Amino acid sequence: MRLLHTSDWHLGRSFHRESLLSAQAAFADHLVETVRAERVDAVLVAGDVYDRALPPVDAVALFDDTLRRLRGLGAHTVIISGNHDSPVRLGFGAGLMDRIHLRTDPHQAWVPVVVNDVAFYGIPYLEPELVRTPWGLPERTHTAAMTHVMDRVRSDAAPAKVVLAHAFVTGGAASDSERDIRVGGVAHVPLRVFDGVSYTALGHLHGRQTMSETVRYSGSPIAYSFSEADHLKGSWLVELGGAVEFVPAPVPRPLTRLRGRLDDLLALPPLGDWIQATLTDPVRPKAAMERLRARFPHTVDLHFAPDEAAEAAPARPRLAGRPEIDVALDFVREVRGEPADPDERRLLEEAAMACRIRETMA
Ligand SMILES: [Mn+2]
């Protein structure tokens, strides 16, 4: 049984007011192609299909088209609602569609979808406030709610169990684009609540993470904040009971963070990436965004962080035209508070010499 674990599509989300729909459509194409090429039996979407409870129509159309294509390949698709989804809207038609399994009702979370003897338990995002009373929970927490469901999942008699859940597992690393789920209780659930099943496909955190060999986050397929500039985005391809490998998703437009004086940034080679620029000029430059966009057309985020150190110390050490050894000795005195001793000085001179030799030989 081959699974493809993905989550947090956030269809309809924009990036600093720029549409991401074409990037999301490119991911959908990649997903369908991966399912076809890798002969995936079941696609697991662990919540936050949409970015909001009332998604824009082009996002709904993209989801509809994606499901149609996955079904056309014969794959099963199991989907849970995340904290961004409306369970009722996302769950429309659940149970009426062949091979498309929408699991958005917390009270059915322990009722599996069975595909080729593997039981899939789709645990939608659980709002502790909403389930505490009906389930008679001892406290209004995510841990109590998830434990309640997982105890029932473990007591089920299926030979192989796969869980989908949308939660913040203790020890996971957050980025800037998840919405806080701390409303109504402690956010984290301990990893051990997922003990006793073959694989747990998690959603909510937007960076891919391996919590244990059998409990993973796929992360979002696209970066939704500049804090994710270094993330590798994609899906987990899981051979149930066997190997797990990461399938990277296409990157329609990489993210780059620039920091420095405006004139220095404008001297860099042009770049088509999404750009976050932090300008350190002591005086805020005029028309900074326009000038940046002339060189970096996809500059979407601009910050000003005047270089206070430069203001406070106008006698900033001059580097150009000075011997390297003097610059290095100044640096040692600056960071340590006392000058280099004769031995250290000799060592630095040798290092500077070696660098110069290497430079002339290169
Ligand atoms: Mn999310």
Side-chain angles (χ1 to χ4, degrees):
M1 166 79 67
R2 277 160 93 70
L3 315 174
L4 193 64
H5 164 196
T6 171
S7 76
D8 296 88
W9 294 0
H10 289 268
L11 301 180
R13 190 175 187 126
S14 57
F15 185 69
H16 297 272
R17 281 174 292 191
E18 304 275 333
S19 170
L20 286 179
L21 199 78
S22 65
Q24 293 174 327
F27 168 70
D29 290 345
H30 155 83
L31 180 84
V32 170
E33 176 51 26
T34 303
V35 168
R36 192 197 61 76
E38 300 289 346
R39 300 168 179 278
V40 169
D41 300 294
V43 178
L44 314 180
V45 187
D48 287 352
V49 169
Y50 295 122
D51 192 51
R52 6 186 184 123
L54 257 179
V57 289
D58 47 9
V60 178
L62 175 57
F63 186 46
D64 182 69
D65 181 60
T66 306
L67 291 183
R68 194 194 317 271
R69 291 161 74 193
L70 291 174
R71 189 185 167 285
L73 293 171
H76 285 260
T77 305
V78 188
I79 302 142
I80 59 172
S81 45
N83 55 313
H84 283 247
D85 299 304
S86 157
V88 174
R89 291 198 180 92
L90 184 64
F92 168 80
L96 303 178
M97 289 182 260
D98 179 33
R99 291 177 184 259
I100 305 295
H101 312 282
L102 290 159
R103 312 297 293 168
T104 65
D105 178 2
H107 306 293
Q108 302 279 312
W110 46 81
V111 180
V113 170
V114 180
V115 178
N116 301 341
D117 291 334
V118 176
F120 294 86
Y121 303 86
I123 307 176
Y125 169 67
L126 302 173
E127 183 55 63
E129 180 64 28
L130 297 181
V131 295
R132 181 182 184 176
T133 305
W135 293 354
L137 301 181
E139 50 180 27
R140 193 187 62 188
T141 62
H142 287 273
T143 298
M146 194 63 80
T147 301
H148 178 86
V149 174
M150 284 303 299
D151 283 346
R152 286 176 170 232
V153 168
R154 270 185 292 268
S155 66
D156 204 26
K161 297 172 181 173
V162 171
V163 164
L164 291 81
H166 196 83
F168 194 151
V169 171
T170 309
S175 12
D176 287 344
S177 63
E178 297 108 6
R179 187 184 295 158
D180 202 351
I181 60 168
R182 230 169 309 165
V183 186
V186 176
H188 298 201
V189 303
L191 180 59
R192 64 180 146 73
V193 299
F194 299 110
D195 283 355
V197 298
S198 304
Y199 187 78
T200 300
L202 292 173
H204 184 57
L205 298 181
H206 290 181
R208 67 159 180 162
Q209 291 165 65
T210 300
M211 308 309 293
S212 76
E213 272 312 297
T214 59
V215 182
R216 294 167 192 262
Y217 284 99
S218 62
S220 59
I222 297 171
Y224 290 121
S225 67
F226 278 100
S227 71
E228 298 158 63
D230 301 327
H231 285 188
L232 180 61
K233 299 299 192 181
S235 321
W236 293 111
L237 182 62
V238 181
E239 182 72 58
L240 201 56
V244 180
E245 79 180 272
F246 194 73
V247 183
V251 181
R253 195 180 296 290
L255 278 63
T256 294
R257 288 187 279 196
L258 301 176
R259 186 184 179 92
R261 304 275 171 117
L262 179 58
D263 287 339
D264 292 339
L265 299 190
L266 293 177
L268 297 171
L271 205 57
D273 296 10
W274 294 118
I275 300 286
Q276 178 187 64
T278 303
L279 299 182
T280 58
D281 301 72
V283 177
R284 202 175 272 220
K286 290 201 177 86
M289 189 57 130
E290 287 75 2
R291 294 173 67 194
L292 281 166
R293 282 199 169 156
R295 193 136 190 99
F296 312 108
H298 298 283
T299 304
V300 290
D301 197 20
L302 178 57
H303 299 267
F304 295 96
D307 195 341
E308 284 165 24
E311 277 182 324
R316 193 169 168 225
R318 201 172 49 85
L319 304 181
R322 295 178 66 212
E324 299 93 312
I325 183 63
D326 288 1
V327 175
L329 289 170
D330 280 353
F331 176 75
V332 170
R333 194 176 50 232
E334 183 70 33
V335 297
R336 205 171 53 183
E338 60 175 9
D341 64 34
D343 284 344
E344 291 170 327
R345 192 193 165 97
R346 206 171 311 120
L347 204 61
L348 283 167
E349 281 170 342
E350 281 171 33
M353 179 77 74
C355 289
R356 261 207 308 278
I357 290 169
R358 217 155 82 185
E359 215 175 299
T360 55
M361 308 271 286

